[in-house]
Structures are given as structure tokens and as C-alpha cells.
Amino acid sequence: MALPILGLLRYVWSAVKIYVLGFIALLRQIFQKHEVPELHLHTGKIAVVTGGTCGIGFHVSLGLVAKNVHVVMAGHDIQKGKEAITKIREIYPNAKVDYLHLDLASFTSIQNFVENIKARCSKIHILVNNAAIMLAPYKETEDDFESHFQVNYLGHLYLTQSLLGMLRASGTEEFYTRIINVSSIVHNIGSLDLQNFGKRYLSSILKIHEAPSTNKMCTHWLEYSPHAAYANSKLDIVLASWHLSEQLRREASPVTVNAVHPGVVNSSLYKHVHPAIKWLMDLLAKYTYKTPSEGADSILYLALSPSVERETGGYYDNCRKLKTCQLAYSDSVIEQMYILSTDMIQARVN
């Protein structure tokens, strides 16, 4: 009996932490002036935006197009891609905007996307890793990883590593190539346990898969917290962003890497929130959350503003650089996490 109770307590505690931190972030957002960055035209630049067809990602794509950037929107829904292009061209008839299929839950899809983008573009100046899922029920990807881990973090890491050659070659002394990784304030309650970093995400969680069919869903629920999975994936993003930025800085590569919290934004990400609390969140969203357009502003700031030229390894919120819980981890621990992540990728794609 003790084990189910402990599992239930862990589940509830993870949920409480994420909602309390989210409410604190919302209060700060309400009393804080929203910063709208002043941006100039960037004709000739090419950007890739994952999840660029809807929500915050769509408004990032729209904002980039408004500054004469050629945008390639990446997403897993072809119909949404067509609709997004139509909407953008209704506003900017001469917009340079394309859509390419990308499913971050599949390394094969990522490989195909990279091949397609390399065939279409000779350079990439801006990479916005924006796509995400939040609080989704337990699901494994075709590569046998927990879905938050791969879609939010590992898939983006593989995409970035696969495009790194192009990104390096596209940077100049006047405009460093920019990689923007969309994280969240909830990374502060994420946890990193290197001993269990791999196995906690893989499909070989024996207690789930060896459970009798009649008890499988119960055991599954007690072993898995979507709240913890989401927060952990956002922590992984921040730590990997810092490590890659340091690696590129040592190499003197003209590439910057920064993470960003877009704010508490009214978007479809909240669709998996439990109905018992979703009604309250929907009410708050109507009056207090940022719009997706406002949520895009900090991302656009990092993508285009001259104020952050050559600034790298930072975490931003409302167009301002803030401290993160990255400081709680040693450089060696973060490096080990990054190496383990790369090893996981290579084990699947080789």
C-alpha cells in the first residue's frame, strides 16, 4: 500500500509545484510592463521555426516575415502548414514563406527534414526551436522515448546538431547565426538525475511494461507525472543551450545559443490540463495571459535585435536576461547530460 501512496504523493506534488510557479509567474507578468522590441529589416536572412504554423510559433513566423526574413515553418500537420501560409500571405502578399513537414517524435522525420532544408536553402541564419507538448498523457515516440523528452528536447537537439554545419557557415562578423530554444519558467522546478537520465525516459520502465493488463493503467499513472516530464524537458533545454553556447564560443563559431521563456501565454498548449482546474485557467487566460503575438516578442527579440548580437548562453524573459537554475549544476554535470543526450540520439539513428 505504501508504494501506491508514495506514487500518488509524487504525482500531486509535481502538479502543485508547476501550478504554484505558474501562478507566481502570472502575477509577475501582470504587474510587469510588456516589452515590445524595436526591430529592423533583415532582408536576405533565412529562418527555420519549428511549430511555426500555430500559436506562438505562427506569430514568430509572422514577425520574421514582417522584417523581410525568408521563413521556413516546420510542423507535423500539413493542412495547418497550408493555412498558415495563406494567412501570412493575406497580410504580406510578397512574403517569402514555406512549409516543410517535421515530426519531432521521429528521428527519421527529422533526418528527412534536414535533407529537404539543405536541398532548398544554402544558409540558415535563425533557428527557432519552438514546438512543444505540455502535460500530455504518457506516450512513447517511435524511437522509444517518453514524448515530452523527445518532442520538447531531444528532437530539437538532434535537429540543431544536424543543422550546425549550415548554421556555422551562415554566421558573419556582422550577424552571428542565432539559435533560440523556447523553454519555460517551469524549468526551475525540473530535476536532473544523471544516474537515471536515460532509463527514466526510455520505454524499458519495467514496472509499467511488466504490469498485468488489468493493473497497467493504474501502475502507469503512479509511475508517470506529465507535470514532472514537462518541467524536466524544459530544464534539459536550458542546460543544453548553455553547454552548446560554451562549445561554440570556445570554437570561435559565429553562432549564439539562448533560451527563452515566452511568458504565460493563452495557447492550445493547455489542452491537456485536467478539467478540474482548466476552467479556472481558461478564465485567467481570457483576462491576464499574454496573447500568442505577445508571447512571440521575446523570441523575435533574440532572433533579430542588434542588442543581443554575440550574446550567448543566456536565459531571457520579457526581453531581459535572467539568472536560471543552471547555476545549481556544475559544468561537468551539464556536459555529462549533453554527452548522454547525444549518445541516445546516435544509438537510434546509426
Side-chain angles (χ1 to χ4, degrees), residues 58-69:
F58 172 78
H59 287 276
V60 171
S61 299
L62 186 64
L64 290 169
V65 164
K67 299 305 175 185
N68 283 5
V69 177

PDB file of all heavy atoms in Angstrom, residues 58-69:
ATOM      1  N   PHE A  58       3.441  30.571 -34.889  1.00  0.00           N
ATOM      2  CA  PHE A  58       2.890  31.281 -36.046  1.00  0.00           C
ATOM      3  C   PHE A  58       3.221  32.763 -35.969  1.00  0.00           C
ATOM      4  O   PHE A  58       3.579  33.389 -36.974  1.00  0.00           O
ATOM      5  CB  PHE A  58       1.373  31.087 -36.134  1.00  0.00           C
ATOM      6  CG  PHE A  58       0.722  31.935 -37.189  1.00  0.00           C
ATOM      7  CD1 PHE A  58       0.792  31.575 -38.531  1.00  0.00           C
ATOM      8  CD2 PHE A  58       0.067  33.108 -36.853  1.00  0.00           C
ATOM      9  CE1 PHE A  58       0.206  32.362 -39.518  1.00  0.00           C
ATOM     10  CE2 PHE A  58      -0.520  33.904 -37.821  1.00  0.00           C
ATOM     11  CZ  PHE A  58      -0.448  33.531 -39.162  1.00  0.00           C
ATOM     12  N   HIS A  59       3.096  33.334 -34.788  1.00  0.00           N
ATOM     13  CA  HIS A  59       3.362  34.768 -34.645  1.00  0.00           C
ATOM     14  C   HIS A  59       4.857  35.078 -34.722  1.00  0.00           C
ATOM     15  O   HIS A  59       5.234  36.183 -35.123  1.00  0.00           O
ATOM     16  CB  HIS A  59       2.737  35.290 -33.359  1.00  0.00           C
ATOM     17  CG  HIS A  59       1.244  35.381 -33.437  1.00  0.00           C
ATOM     18  ND1 HIS A  59       0.600  36.474 -34.000  1.00  0.00           N
ATOM     19  CD2 HIS A  59       0.276  34.499 -33.083  1.00  0.00           C
ATOM     20  CE1 HIS A  59      -0.705  36.271 -33.961  1.00  0.00           C
ATOM     21  NE2 HIS A  59      -0.925  35.086 -33.407  1.00  0.00           N
ATOM     22  N   VAL A  60       5.691  34.113 -34.363  1.00  0.00           N
ATOM     23  CA  VAL A  60       7.128  34.265 -34.607  1.00  0.00           C
ATOM     24  C   VAL A  60       7.377  34.285 -36.115  1.00  0.00           C
ATOM     25  O   VAL A  60       8.089  35.152 -36.632  1.00  0.00           O
ATOM     26  CB  VAL A  60       7.934  33.133 -33.945  1.00  0.00           C
ATOM     27  CG1 VAL A  60       9.397  33.179 -34.398  1.00  0.00           C
ATOM     28  CG2 VAL A  60       7.865  33.233 -32.428  1.00  0.00           C
ATOM     29  N   SER A  61       6.763  33.347 -36.821  1.00  0.00           N
ATOM     30  CA  SER A  61       6.896  33.305 -38.278  1.00  0.00           C
ATOM     31  C   SER A  61       6.405  34.599 -38.909  1.00  0.00           C
ATOM     32  O   SER A  61       7.059  35.184 -39.781  1.00  0.00           O
ATOM     33  CB  SER A  61       6.105  32.117 -38.854  1.00  0.00           C
ATOM     34  OG  SER A  61       6.573  30.888 -38.361  1.00  0.00           O
ATOM     35  N   LEU A  62       5.246  35.078 -38.463  1.00  0.00           N
ATOM     36  CA  LEU A  62       4.662  36.313 -38.980  1.00  0.00           C
ATOM     37  C   LEU A  62       5.573  37.506 -38.694  1.00  0.00           C
ATOM     38  O   LEU A  62       5.787  38.363 -39.570  1.00  0.00           O
ATOM     39  CB  LEU A  62       3.285  36.537 -38.357  1.00  0.00           C
ATOM     40  CG  LEU A  62       2.461  37.715 -38.878  1.00  0.00           C
ATOM     41  CD1 LEU A  62       2.097  37.522 -40.344  1.00  0.00           C
ATOM     42  CD2 LEU A  62       1.187  37.877 -38.032  1.00  0.00           C
ATOM     43  N   GLY A  63       6.118  37.566 -37.484  1.00  0.00           N
ATOM     44  CA  GLY A  63       7.008  38.660 -37.117  1.00  0.00           C
ATOM     45  C   GLY A  63       8.293  38.674 -37.915  1.00  0.00           C
ATOM     46  O   GLY A  63       8.814  39.743 -38.272  1.00  0.00           O
ATOM     47  N   LEU A  64       8.820  37.500 -38.209  1.00  0.00           N
ATOM     48  CA  LEU A  64      10.036  37.406 -39.024  1.00  0.00           C
ATOM     49  C   LEU A  64       9.759  37.827 -40.465  1.00  0.00           C
ATOM     50  O   LEU A  64      10.541  38.568 -41.072  1.00  0.00           O
ATOM     51  CB  LEU A  64      10.573  35.971 -38.978  1.00  0.00           C
ATOM     52  CG  LEU A  64      11.170  35.513 -37.646  1.00  0.00           C
ATOM     53  CD1 LEU A  64      11.416  34.010 -37.662  1.00  0.00           C
ATOM     54  CD2 LEU A  64      12.477  36.249 -37.337  1.00  0.00           C
ATOM     55  N   VAL A  65       8.635  37.358 -41.001  1.00  0.00           N
ATOM     56  CA  VAL A  65       8.254  37.738 -42.362  1.00  0.00           C
ATOM     57  C   VAL A  65       8.094  39.251 -42.465  1.00  0.00           C
ATOM     58  O   VAL A  65       8.471  39.870 -43.478  1.00  0.00           O
ATOM     59  CB  VAL A  65       6.937  37.023 -42.765  1.00  0.00           C
ATOM     60  CG1 VAL A  65       6.314  37.688 -43.986  1.00  0.00           C
ATOM     61  CG2 VAL A  65       7.198  35.544 -43.050  1.00  0.00           C
ATOM     62  N   ALA A  66       7.548  39.867 -41.418  1.00  0.00           N
ATOM     63  CA  ALA A  66       7.346  41.326 -41.413  1.00  0.00           C
ATOM     64  C   ALA A  66       8.667  42.080 -41.538  1.00  0.00           C
ATOM     65  O   ALA A  66       8.687  43.234 -41.976  1.00  0.00           O
ATOM     66  CB  ALA A  66       6.631  41.750 -40.135  1.00  0.00           C
ATOM     67  N   LYS A  67       9.772  41.419 -41.176  1.00  0.00           N
ATOM     68  CA  LYS A  67      11.091  42.046 -41.277  1.00  0.00           C
ATOM     69  C   LYS A  67      11.888  41.515 -42.472  1.00  0.00           C
ATOM     70  O   LYS A  67      13.117  41.548 -42.492  1.00  0.00           O
ATOM     71  CB  LYS A  67      11.874  41.810 -39.975  1.00  0.00           C
ATOM     72  CG  LYS A  67      11.185  42.407 -38.751  1.00  0.00           C
ATOM     73  CD  LYS A  67      10.898  43.892 -38.923  1.00  0.00           C
ATOM     74  CE  LYS A  67      10.097  44.462 -37.766  1.00  0.00           C
ATOM     75  NZ  LYS A  67       9.721  45.883 -37.990  1.00  0.00           N
ATOM     76  N   ASN A  68      11.155  41.025 -43.469  1.00  0.00           N
ATOM     77  CA  ASN A  68      11.719  40.555 -44.742  1.00  0.00           C
ATOM     78  C   ASN A  68      12.582  39.299 -44.618  1.00  0.00           C
ATOM     79  O   ASN A  68      13.436  39.041 -45.469  1.00  0.00           O
ATOM     80  CB  ASN A  68      12.541  41.664 -45.421  1.00  0.00           C
ATOM     81  CG  ASN A  68      11.658  42.706 -46.080  1.00  0.00           C
ATOM     82  OD1 ASN A  68      10.440  42.663 -45.959  1.00  0.00           O
ATOM     83  ND2 ASN A  68      12.271  43.653 -46.765  1.00  0.00           N
ATOM     84  N   VAL A  69      12.376  38.540 -43.562  1.00  0.00           N
ATOM     85  CA  VAL A  69      13.084  37.274 -43.407  1.00  0.00           C
ATOM     86  C   VAL A  69      12.338  36.187 -44.170  1.00  0.00           C
ATOM     87  O   VAL A  69      11.105  36.133 -44.154  1.00  0.00           O
ATOM     88  CB  VAL A  69      13.197  36.886 -41.916  1.00  0.00           C
ATOM     89  CG1 VAL A  69      13.872  35.527 -41.760  1.00  0.00           C
ATOM     90  CG2 VAL A  69      13.963  37.957 -41.144  1.00  0.00           C
TER      91      VAL A  69
END
